[in-house]
Amino acid sequence: MPLLDFNVGSDLYNSDHFPIIVSYADSGGAIQYPPRYLFQRADWGSFMQLADITESMVSTADITEAVQNVVDCLRNAADNTIIKCSPRLRKFRRPRWNEACRDSRREEKRLWNIFRRYPTTENHVAFKRAKALARRIRRRSQRDSWINFVSSITSSTSSKQLWKRVKAANGIYHEFSIPVLNTGNVTHSDPLEITNTLGHAFAQVSATDSYSPDFVAIKNR
């Protein structure tokens, strides 16, 4: 079973060719972050009622069993009264992306879909205009965001806050790093191993063995 799936995208994304979308062939290949408790949204009243540690829980000959009973009681109470966050990776937006950028991008995609279905001159002109307008709005938003960022820097701004804002402006977040990669029963955590595994998957897809017989016949002409 291949590690990755390769599909042709339906949007040009300001390019002259359709991009190739690479995704995991097996949903288990991508590791999700463990869900965390959202303590600010907890029902502490119900938690105190469920987290009732009785004497029978700790009155055991084995101390390990007593500790496990207490842990299970607290964990059960937490699971039933405290909401957990989603294990999916958070999708961060750059600070310059606002509602105007979103609406113009949505209109650009709408007119692009119309032009794909009905490739007329009028639809092509409408799509080009929407594309130019969306680009102009994004550039203006980027300029305004940069002005606001520079204006927010004062003598009391710490270096940590400064670099955090700089990275956010460039869309750099630590959460986007790939911690581990599963391939069958093998787990890769070293960055070099992950790189080699992905490179091997790309090589397999690009190899002659992956070509269809019809394509090989045309290629060998």
Side-chain angles (χ1 to χ4, degrees):
M1 182 177 180
L3 175 63
L4 302 172
D5 281 336
F6 296 81
N7 299 300
V8 179
S10 59
D11 197 326
L12 289 174
Y13 294 101
N14 295 326
S15 179
D16 58 351
H17 64 279
F18 292 99
I20 297 178
I21 309 299
V22 182
S23 59
Y24 285 107
D26 182 12
S27 59
I31 296 299
Q32 296 180 330
Y33 284 99
R36 295 178 293 103
Y37 289 110
L38 302 178
F39 295 106
Q40 66 274 17
R41 301 176 61 182
D43 184 358
W44 294 114
S46 300
F47 176 82
M48 294 178 63
Q49 294 179 359
L50 294 176
D52 184 16
I53 301 176
T54 62
E55 184 177 355
S56 60
M57 293 182 182
V58 296
S59 298
T60 59
D62 188 0
I63 185 63
T64 303
E65 182 181 353
V67 172
Q68 188 62 43
N69 291 336
V70 174
V71 171
D72 292 341
C73 178
L74 295 177
R75 183 172 296 173
N76 178 68
D79 291 340
N80 287 278
T81 59
I82 305 177
I83 299 176
K84 292 182 180 180
C85 65
S86 173
R88 297 181 179 179
L89 295 176
R90 294 176 58 189
K91 188 175 183 180
F92 293 93
R93 294 290 186 184
R94 296 188 178 185
R96 63 173 177 265
W97 189 266
N98 52 27
E99 293 184 0
C101 296
R102 182 197 61 192
D103 295 340
S104 61
R105 173 60 178 165
R106 185 178 300 169
E107 180 67 11
E108 178 186 354
K109 293 178 65 176
R110 186 183 70 85
L111 293 176
W112 162 249
N113 291 329
I114 294 177
F115 173 65
R116 288 188 63 192
R117 293 193 300 268
Y118 309 102
T120 63
T121 303
E122 292 79 5
N123 291 338
H124 188 215
V125 172
F127 164 67
K128 286 291 187 180
R129 288 178 177 174
K131 181 179 179 180
L133 177 61
R135 186 188 304 113
R136 184 164 60 251
I137 291 176
R138 288 194 297 268
R139 289 177 178 175
R140 182 172 63 245
S141 177
Q142 183 178 5
R143 182 176 62 254
D144 295 341
S145 177
W146 176 251
I147 293 175
N148 293 333
F149 166 70
V150 174
S151 302
S152 65
I153 300 175
T154 62
S155 58
S156 60
T157 303
S158 64
S159 59
K160 179 180 179 180
Q161 293 176 337
L162 178 62
W163 281 112
K164 184 178 180 180
R165 294 177 183 178
V166 170
K167 291 180 179 179
N170 289 277
I172 302 175
Y173 294 94
H174 178 69
E175 287 80 359
F176 284 125
S177 61
I178 302 178
V180 291
L181 182 68
N182 285 341
T183 56
N185 297 326
V186 181
T187 300
H188 304 281
S189 58
D190 183 71
L192 181 59
E193 293 180 357
I194 295 176
T195 303
N196 291 334
T197 302
L198 294 176
H200 180 67
F202 277 101
Q204 284 184 327
V205 173
S206 303
T208 307
D209 297 339
S210 300
Y211 297 158
S212 63
D214 296 336
F215 179 80
V216 173
I218 296 175
K219 184 175 182 293
N220 294 332
R221 288 179 182 175

